[in-house]
Amino acid sequence: MKKLFKIAIQMDPLEKIDPKADSTYVIAKEAQKRGYKTFHYLPKNLTLKNNKVFAKGSFFKIINNKKKFYQKSKEQELELSNFNVVLVRQDPPFDMHYLTATYILEQLPKKVLVLNNPSHIRNNPEKISMFKFKNLIPKTVISSNENEIIKFINKNNYTILKPLYGNGGEGIEKVKKKSSRNKSIIRKLLKKYHYPVVAQKFIKEIDKGDRRIILFDGEYMGSVARIPKSGSIKANFHAGGSPKKTGLVFRDKKICKTLSNFLKKNNLFFAGIDVIGNYLTEINVTSPTGIQEINKLNNVRLEEKFWNKIEKKLR
């Protein structure tokens, strides 16, 4: 007889989820199909008391209703050590609230499988962890120092600027060397986001797409090219990028192989890496997306592989 598991999902409010595009939606739907009980809670509703971790939330079911895709039970506070799996799936901002949730989840006993591993989510910010693979990344500077950023910009014809802890294409700017606008753009980014700025040499192959490559437990599962709108440099789906079918191109195989052991070793089970041309630009481990786009373009169901791999870990 197949064991039925209890799954807790730490994520944003269910009413904000787009069931036609969200990766967590299909993961939860597949869990339900397998008879698992799924429990949803918000990160702010985590509590650490008497050395035990509690979460206030609701069990929920996905239903076939166009107006509302879920049905929630009465809200209750439960001890997370009674769950088999905790999935960390809330979107950034990667701030002190996010970090605090990782500290609390670290207190869970080892019998609870927390994915991705909270310690290694915290230790591997998405735009910084790529520096572990210096031979795979474009020329990049991360700094709050305006002069350092200007010096870097002036070494390249074009540079991409983005906030260190942003997501979804937010705050991305393309600047030209020696432009009189550069200082004001840098100051605006520093003032708005309160964190350092990432300056990265512009990669011209962006016109062929920013590829989101999905890996489960260090193994390649699929990829999708995100094509920017005409006249835009933002390829993220949140920023209007459109999905296009792709396989492993340029240096993708080498990049996946190089990252595999790092992801497995650190229990970064669900990773979405971003690659433009030959270059790795981000390693997304907070709440990667892309499953539904890959599924539709390739007639696959990555969520099945997701739970098959987790079931093996639980056994």
Side-chain angles (χ1 to χ4, degrees), residues 130-149:
M130 65 176 193
F131 281 89
K132 292 180 169 76
F133 308 96
K134 293 181 177 66
N135 60 327
L136 300 178
I137 67 173
K139 290 178 181 177
T140 306
V141 158
I142 296 174
S143 183
S144 295
N145 186 301
E146 184 185 307
N147 291 332
E148 285 295 331
I149 299 167

Side-chain angles (χ1 to χ4, degrees), residues 187-297:
R187 287 170 187 169
K188 182 181 170 185
L189 286 171
L190 290 169
K191 184 178 179 181
K192 182 175 181 180
Y193 295 101
H194 311 292
Y195 293 116
V197 167
V198 180
Q200 206 164 65
K201 183 180 178 181
F202 175 70
I203 307 166
K204 65 181 187 300
E205 287 83 5
I206 186 63
D207 60 352
K208 296 180 176 61
D210 178 347
R211 295 184 301 289
R212 166 54 57 86
I213 298 174
I214 297 293
L215 298 103
F216 294 159
D217 209 19
E219 183 182 346
Y220 171 75
M221 291 290 126
S223 48
V224 56
R226 299 171 295 184
I227 309 296
K229 282 182 181 177
S230 178
S232 173
I233 47 127
K234 296 183 180 183
N236 305 67
F237 295 135
H238 291 300
S242 56
K244 183 180 178 183
K245 187 173 180 177
T246 185
L248 292 170
V249 295
F250 293 93
R251 288 199 295 176
D252 290 354
K253 282 186 181 178
K254 179 182 179 180
I255 291 170
C256 289
K257 187 177 178 182
T258 305
L259 266 61
S260 179
N261 285 339
F262 160 75
L263 296 171
K264 284 191 77 166
K265 179 183 173 185
N266 294 302
N267 217 3
L268 295 167
F269 180 86
F270 184 178
I273 63 173
D274 294 342
V275 184
I276 303 172
N278 278 314
Y279 298 100
L280 172 70
T281 59
E282 287 187 26
I283 305 172
N284 294 275
V285 297
T286 49
S287 61
T289 59
I291 286 181
Q292 289 215 48
E293 291 79 10
I294 292 169
N295 282 354
K296 289 166 190 169
L297 290 167

